[in-house]
Amino acid sequence: MICRETEKKIFIYPELSMPEKEEVDEHIRECKSCEAIARTLTGLRETLLKVGTFKGNEAYNSGLTNKIMNTISGGHVSNSFIFHLETILSWSLRYSLAAVSLGLMILLFTESMTTPERGAASRTEHIDIKAMPVMDSKEFTITFKTRKAVANLRTWVKSECERICYNGDNAVACHRCERIYKRTY
Amino acid sequence: MNYHESKIIEDAKGGDTSAFRKLVEHYQPFAYTLAHRMTRSHDEAQDIVQDSFIRCWQAISRFDQRVKFSTWLYKIVMNRCLDLFKSARYRSRQYEIDLNVHDNVHDPKGSDAPLHRQEFLEIVLKMSEQLTPKQRAVFVLRDLEDIDVAEVGNILSMSQGNIKSNLYYARKKMSELLSKIYQNTSLHEL
C-alpha cells in the first residue's frame, strides 16, 4: 500500500473494517511518516472525545423546559391530525398551491379592473358605437373627481336618461338625449 | 430503548403532556449541547431546541418506536441547524466571524498556563465553522458526541461511504487548522 492511500485511511481509521485496519497497521509499522500522522490523529481524536463527550446535566435548563411545555400545554400547539398538515405537505406542493392561488388572485383582479360593470357590458358589447344613428349627435364629456367615480358612469347616465343603447369601457351612448357620455378623469 | 421510556413515549403519543415533559427533561441537555456545538450561539441553540421539541410533539403520534427517540430528536435538531446554516441571517453572521476568526483564538505558545479543556473545545468549535455544514455535522456527531457511524447515518440520512468521505475532509481540515495553533503543544497534555 502506498503512503497516499494509507494517509486517507488513517484519517478514518476508527471507521475502517478489521482487515482494512490490519492493512493500515502493517504499513504504519514500516513507514515513519505515516506513523507520525497516525500518532497525531490518534492524539487529536482522544483529546476531542475527552473534551467533547457530553457530561451529565451541565446543559440542563429548566427555564427552557418550562418554555417548551408552556408552548405545548398553552394550547398554541396541538398534536392532532390537522396540525400535521405542515409536515404532510411537502415544500414543492406548498409552492405549487401558493403559485395557483397567486395566479387566481391576479386573474380575478385583472377581470375586475377590465370589466367594472360586467353585467351591463356583456349585454351591449356587440353594438358598434360608430355604426349607431345617434353618433352624429352632440358629445358630452363628464369629468369625474376620482377613478372610482369613473366606474359609475353607467349608473349616472342611467339615472339621467333611463335608456342606454351602448355601454362601453370609455363611453355610454343614450338614445333619448342623443348624447355620448365619455369618461374623463 | 427500555420499557420505562417506551411507556412514556406511548403516553406522549396519546396526548399526555406530562409524559412528554419527562422526555423534554431527559433529552433537552443532549439536544441543547448538539445545537450549541453546531451553532456556537446560546440563543440560536435554545431556539432550535424549543422548535425541535415542538415539532417532536406535533409528530409524535407518527413516531416509529423501532427507532431510538434520541436518533429521531437528533435528526430534527440537525435538520434545524442545517436549515439555519442556509439562512441569509446566519451567513451574514458567518461572514463577520470569518473576518475575526484568527483574532480571537488564544495562542498557547505565548502562555505558560495549561490549556483548559473548555477553552480547547471552544477553539475546536470555532475552527469547525470553517467546515462545510455536512462536514461539521458529521464531525460534531462522530468526534465530539462519539455517536457510532450507523446512527450518524440515520440522523443525517447519509450512506456510510458519504459519512467516511465527509469525516476524512473534516478531520484533515481540523488537524491542519489545529496544528497551526498548537504547533508546540502536545494534545495529550490537555
Side-chain angles (χ1 to χ4, degrees), chain A residues 29-83:
Chain A
R29 275 195 291 272
E30 292 161 6
C31 179
K32 293 286 174 197
S33 61
C34 287
E35 192 209 351
I37 297 170
R39 206 171 43 240
T40 308
L41 283 170
T42 308
L44 176 63
R45 178 158 167 77
E46 283 171 5
T47 310
L48 287 174
L49 286 176
K50 212 157 53 177
V51 298
T53 307
F54 182 71
K55 296 170 192 70
N57 284 335
E58 284 167 18
Y60 181 69
N61 181 342
S62 59
L64 181 58
T65 301
N66 289 335
K67 208 169 156 185
I68 293 164
M69 292 316 296
N70 286 342
T71 315
I72 289 167
S73 332
H76 305 301
V77 182
S78 164
N79 66 350
S80 64
F81 176 76
I82 193 75
F83 286 90

Coordinates of all heavy atoms in Angstrom, one line a residue, chain A residues 29-83:
Chain A
R29 N 3.8 0.3 10.5 CA 5.0 -0.3 11.1 C 6.3 -0.1 10.3 O 7.4 0.0 10.8 CB 4.8 -1.8 11.3 CG 4.0 -2.2 12.6 CD 4.1 -3.6 12.9 NE 3.4 -4.5 12.0 CZ 2.1 -4.8 12.1 NH1 1.4 -4.3 13.1 NH2 1.5 -5.6 11.2
E30 N 6.1 0.0 9.0 CA 7.2 0.2 8.1 C 7.5 1.6 7.6 O 8.5 1.9 7.1 CB 7.1 -0.7 6.9 CG 7.1 -2.2 7.2 CD 6.5 -3.0 6.1 OE1 6.1 -2.4 5.0 OE2 6.3 -4.2 6.3
C31 N 6.5 2.5 7.9 CA 6.6 3.9 7.3 C 6.5 4.9 8.5 O 5.5 5.1 9.1 CB 5.5 4.1 6.3 SG 5.5 5.8 5.6
K32 N 7.6 5.6 8.6 CA 7.7 6.6 9.8 C 6.8 7.8 9.6 O 6.2 8.2 10.5 CB 9.2 7.0 9.9 CG 10.2 6.0 10.3 CD 10.0 5.6 11.8 CE 10.9 4.5 12.2 NZ 10.5 3.8 13.4
S33 N 6.7 8.3 8.4 CA 5.9 9.5 8.1 C 4.4 9.2 8.4 O 3.7 10.0 9.0 CB 6.1 10.1 6.8 OG 5.8 9.1 5.8
C34 N 4.0 8.0 7.9 CA 2.6 7.7 8.2 C 2.3 7.4 9.6 O 1.2 7.7 10.2 CB 2.2 6.4 7.3 SG 2.0 6.8 5.6
E35 N 3.3 6.8 10.3 CA 3.2 6.6 11.7 C 3.0 7.9 12.5 O 2.2 8.0 13.4 CB 4.4 5.8 12.2 CG 4.2 5.2 13.6 CD 5.5 5.1 14.4 OE1 6.6 5.3 13.8 OE2 5.5 4.9 15.6
A36 N 3.8 8.9 12.1 CA 3.7 10.2 12.7 C 2.3 10.8 12.6 O 1.7 11.3 13.5 CB 4.7 11.2 12.2
I37 N 1.7 10.7 11.4 CA 0.4 11.2 11.1 C -0.6 10.4 12.0 O -1.5 11.0 12.6 CB 0.0 11.0 9.6 CG1 0.9 11.9 8.7 CG2 -1.4 11.5 9.3 CD1 0.8 11.6 7.2
A38 N -0.5 9.1 12.0 CA -1.4 8.3 12.8 C -1.4 8.6 14.2 O -2.4 8.7 14.9 CB -1.1 6.8 12.6
R39 N -0.1 8.9 14.7 CA 0.0 9.2 16.2 C -0.7 10.6 16.5 O -1.4 10.7 17.5 CB 1.5 9.3 16.5 CG 1.8 9.0 18.0 CD 3.2 8.8 18.4 NE 4.1 9.8 17.7 CZ 5.1 9.5 16.9 NH1 5.4 8.2 16.7 NH2 5.9 10.4 16.4
T40 N -0.5 11.5 15.6 CA -1.1 12.9 15.8 C -2.6 12.7 15.8 O -3.3 13.3 16.6 CB -0.6 13.8 14.7 OG1 0.8 13.8 14.6 CG2 -1.1 15.2 14.9
L41 N -3.1 12.0 14.8 CA -4.6 11.9 14.7 C -5.2 11.1 15.8 O -6.3 11.5 16.3 CB -4.9 11.2 13.4 CG -4.8 12.2 12.2 CD1 -5.0 11.4 10.9 CD2 -5.8 13.3 12.2
T42 N -4.5 10.1 16.3 CA -5.0 9.4 17.5 C -5.1 10.3 18.7 O -6.1 10.3 19.4 CB -4.1 8.1 17.8 OG1 -3.9 7.4 16.6 CG2 -4.6 7.2 18.8
G43 N -4.0 11.1 18.8 CA -4.0 12.0 20.0 C -5.1 13.0 19.9 O -5.8 13.3 20.8
L44 N -5.3 13.5 18.6 CA -6.4 14.5 18.4 C -7.8 13.9 18.7 O -8.6 14.5 19.4 CB -6.3 15.0 17.0 CG -7.4 16.0 16.6 CD1 -7.4 17.3 17.4 CD2 -7.3 16.3 15.1
R45 N -8.0 12.7 18.2 CA -9.3 12.1 18.4 C -9.5 11.8 19.9 O -10.6 12.1 20.4 CB -9.3 10.8 17.6 CG -10.6 10.0 17.8 CD -11.0 9.1 16.7 NE -12.1 8.2 17.1 CZ -13.3 8.6 17.1 NH1 -13.7 9.8 16.8 NH2 -14.3 7.7 17.5
E46 N -8.5 11.3 20.6 CA -8.7 11.0 22.0 C -9.0 12.3 22.8 O -9.8 12.3 23.7 CB -7.4 10.4 22.6 CG -7.3 8.9 22.2 CD -6.0 8.3 22.6 OE1 -5.1 9.0 23.2 OE2 -5.7 7.1 22.3
T47 N -8.3 13.4 22.4 CA -8.5 14.7 23.1 C -9.9 15.2 22.8 O -10.6 15.7 23.7 CB -7.4 15.7 22.6 OG1 -6.2 15.1 22.7 CG2 -7.5 17.0 23.4
L48 N -10.3 15.1 21.6 CA -11.6 15.6 21.2 C -12.7 14.8 22.0 O -13.7 15.4 22.5 CB -11.9 15.5 19.7 CG -11.1 16.4 18.8 CD1 -11.3 16.1 17.4 CD2 -11.6 17.9 19.1
L49 N -12.5 13.5 22.1 CA -13.5 12.7 22.8 C -13.5 13.1 24.3 O -14.6 13.2 24.9 CB -13.2 11.2 22.7 CG -13.6 10.6 21.3 CD1 -13.2 9.2 21.2 CD2 -15.1 10.8 21.0
K50 N -12.3 13.4 24.8 CA -12.2 13.7 26.2 C -12.9 15.0 26.5 O -13.7 15.2 27.5 CB -10.7 13.8 26.6 CG -10.4 13.4 28.0 CD -8.9 13.0 28.1 CE -7.9 14.0 27.6 NZ -6.5 13.6 27.9
V51 N -12.7 16.0 25.7 CA -13.3 17.3 25.9 C -14.7 17.4 25.4 O -15.5 18.2 25.8 CB -12.5 18.5 25.3 CG1 -11.1 18.6 25.9 CG2 -12.4 18.4 23.8
G52 N -15.0 16.6 24.4 CA -16.3 16.7 23.7 C -17.4 15.9 24.2 O -18.6 16.3 24.2
T53 N -17.1 14.7 24.7 CA -18.2 13.8 25.1 C -19.1 14.5 26.2 O -18.5 15.0 27.2 CB -17.7 12.5 25.6 OG1 -16.8 12.0 24.6 CG2 -18.8 11.5 25.9
F54 N -20.3 14.4 26.0 CA -21.3 15.1 26.9 C -21.2 14.7 28.3 O -21.1 13.5 28.6 CB -22.7 14.9 26.3 CG -23.7 15.7 27.1 CD1 -23.7 17.1 27.1 CD2 -24.5 15.0 28.0 CE1 -24.7 17.8 27.8 CE2 -25.4 15.7 28.7 CZ -25.5 17.1 28.7
K55 N -21.2 15.6 29.2 CA -21.1 15.3 30.6 C -22.3 15.7 31.4 O -22.5 16.9 31.6 CB -19.8 15.9 31.2 CG -18.6 15.5 30.6 CD -17.4 16.3 31.0 CE -16.2 16.0 30.2 NZ -16.3 16.5 28.8
G56 N -23.1 14.7 31.8 CA -24.2 14.9 32.7 C -25.2 15.9 32.3 O -25.5 16.2 31.2
N57 N -25.7 16.6 33.3 CA -26.7 17.6 33.2 C -26.3 19.0 33.2 O -27.0 19.9 33.5 CB -27.8 17.4 34.3 CG -28.6 16.2 34.0 OD1 -28.8 15.8 32.9 ND2 -29.2 15.6 35.1
E58 N -25.0 19.2 32.8 CA -24.4 20.6 32.8 C -25.3 21.5 32.0 O -25.4 22.7 32.3 CB -23.0 20.6 32.2 CG -22.0 20.0 33.2 CD -20.7 19.7 32.6 OE1 -20.4 20.2 31.5 OE2 -19.9 19.0 33.2
A59 N -25.8 21.0 30.9 CA -26.5 21.9 30.0 C -28.0 21.9 30.2 O -28.8 22.5 29.5 CB -26.3 21.4 28.5
Y60 N -28.5 21.3 31.3 CA -29.9 21.3 31.6 C -30.4 22.7 31.9 O -29.8 23.4 32.7 CB -30.3 20.3 32.7 CG -31.8 20.3 32.9 CD1 -32.6 19.7 31.9 CD2 -32.3 20.8 34.0 CE1 -34.0 19.8 32.1 CE2 -33.7 20.8 34.2 CZ -34.5 20.3 33.2 OH -35.9 20.3 33.4
N61 N -31.5 23.1 31.3 CA -32.1 24.4 31.6 C -33.5 24.3 31.8 O -34.3 24.0 30.9 CB -31.8 25.2 30.3 CG -32.3 26.7 30.4 OD1 -33.1 27.0 31.3 ND2 -31.8 27.5 29.6
S62 N -33.9 24.4 33.1 CA -35.3 24.2 33.5 C -36.2 25.3 32.9 O -37.3 25.0 32.5 CB -35.5 24.2 35.0 OG -35.0 25.4 35.5
G63 N -35.6 26.5 32.7 CA -36.4 27.5 32.1 C -36.8 27.2 30.7 O -37.9 27.4 30.2
L64 N -35.9 26.6 29.9 CA -36.2 26.2 28.6 C -37.2 25.1 28.5 O -38.1 25.1 27.7 CB -34.9 25.7 27.9 CG -35.0 25.3 26.4 CD1 -35.5 26.4 25.5 CD2 -33.6 24.8 25.9
T65 N -37.1 24.1 29.4 CA -38.1 23.1 29.5 C -39.5 23.7 29.8 O -40.5 23.3 29.1 CB -37.8 22.1 30.7 OG1 -36.5 21.5 30.4 CG2 -38.8 21.0 30.7
N66 N -39.6 24.6 30.7 CA -40.9 25.3 31.0 C -41.4 26.0 29.8 O -42.6 26.0 29.5 CB -40.7 26.2 32.2 CG -40.5 25.5 33.5 OD1 -40.9 24.3 33.6 ND2 -39.9 26.1 34.5
K67 N -40.5 26.7 29.1 CA -40.9 27.4 27.9 C -41.5 26.5 26.9 O -42.6 26.8 26.3 CB -39.7 28.1 27.3 CG -39.9 29.4 26.6 CD -38.6 30.1 26.4 CE -38.6 31.0 25.2 NZ -37.3 31.6 24.8
I68 N -40.8 25.4 26.7 CA -41.3 24.4 25.7 C -42.7 23.9 26.1 O -43.7 23.8 25.3 CB -40.3 23.2 25.5 CG1 -39.0 23.7 24.9 CG2 -40.9 22.1 24.7 CD1 -37.9 22.7 25.1
M69 N -42.8 23.5 27.4 CA -44.0 22.9 27.9 C -45.2 23.9 27.9 O -46.3 23.6 27.7 CB -43.8 22.3 29.3 CG -42.9 21.1 29.3 SD -43.2 19.9 27.9 CE -44.9 19.3 28.3
N70 N -44.8 25.2 28.2 CA -45.9 26.2 28.2 C -46.4 26.4 26.8 O -47.6 26.6 26.6 CB -45.3 27.5 28.7 CG -45.2 27.5 30.2 OD1 -45.7 26.7 30.9 ND2 -44.3 28.4 30.7
T71 N -45.6 26.3 25.8 CA -46.0 26.5 24.4 C -46.9 25.3 24.0 O -47.9 25.5 23.4 CB -44.8 26.5 23.4 OG1 -43.8 27.4 24.0 CG2 -45.2 27.0 22.1
I72 N -46.5 24.1 24.5 CA -47.3 22.9 24.1 C -48.6 22.9 24.9 O -49.7 22.7 24.3 CB -46.5 21.7 24.4 CG1 -45.4 21.6 23.3 CG2 -47.3 20.4 24.3 CD1 -44.3 20.6 23.6
S73 N -48.5 23.1 26.2 CA -49.8 23.0 27.0 C -50.7 24.2 26.9 O -51.8 24.1 27.2 CB -49.4 22.7 28.5 OG -48.2 22.1 28.7
G74 N -50.1 25.3 26.5 CA -50.8 26.6 26.5 C -51.8 26.6 25.3 O -52.5 27.6 25.1
G75 N -51.9 25.5 24.6 CA -52.9 25.4 23.5 C -52.4 26.0 22.2 O -53.1 26.0 21.2
H76 N -51.2 26.5 22.2 CA -50.6 27.0 20.9 C -50.3 25.9 20.0 O -50.3 26.1 18.8 CB -49.4 27.9 21.2 CG -49.6 29.0 22.2 ND1 -50.6 29.9 22.0 CD2 -49.1 29.2 23.5 CE1 -50.6 30.7 23.1 NE2 -49.7 30.3 24.0
V77 N -49.9 24.8 20.5 CA -49.5 23.7 19.7 C -50.3 22.4 20.0 O -50.5 22.1 21.2 CB -48.0 23.3 19.9 CG1 -47.6 22.2 19.0 CG2 -47.2 24.6 19.7
S78 N -50.8 21.8 19.0 CA -51.6 20.6 19.2 C -50.9 19.4 18.4 O -50.3 19.7 17.4 CB -53.0 20.8 18.7 OG -53.6 19.5 18.6
N79 N -51.0 18.2 18.9 CA -50.5 17.1 18.2 C -51.6 16.4 17.4 O -51.5 15.2 17.1 CB -49.7 16.1 19.0 CG -50.5 15.4 20.1 OD1 -51.7 15.8 20.2 ND2 -49.9 14.4 20.7
S80 N -52.8 17.0 17.2 CA -53.8 16.4 16.5 C -53.5 16.4 15.0 O -52.6 17.1 14.5 CB -55.2 17.1 16.7 OG -55.0 18.4 16.2
F81 N -54.3 15.6 14.2 CA -54.0 15.4 12.8 C -53.9 16.7 12.0 O -53.0 16.8 11.2 CB -55.1 14.5 12.2 CG -54.9 14.3 10.7 CD1 -53.9 13.4 10.3 CD2 -55.6 15.0 9.8 CE1 -53.6 13.3 8.9 CE2 -55.4 14.8 8.4 CZ -54.4 13.9 8.0
I82 N -54.8 17.6 12.3 CA -54.9 18.8 11.5 C -53.5 19.6 11.5 O -53.1 20.2 10.6 CB -56.1 19.7 11.9 CG1 -56.3 20.8 10.8 CG2 -55.9 20.3 13.2 CD1 -57.0 20.3 9.6
F83 N -52.8 19.5 12.7 CA -51.6 20.2 12.8 C -50.4 19.5 12.2 O -49.3 20.0 12.1 CB -51.3 20.5 14.3 CG -52.2 21.6 14.9 CD1 -53.4 21.2 15.4 CD2 -51.8 22.9 14.8 CE1 -54.2 22.2 15.9 CE2 -52.6 23.9 15.3 CZ -53.9 23.6 15.8

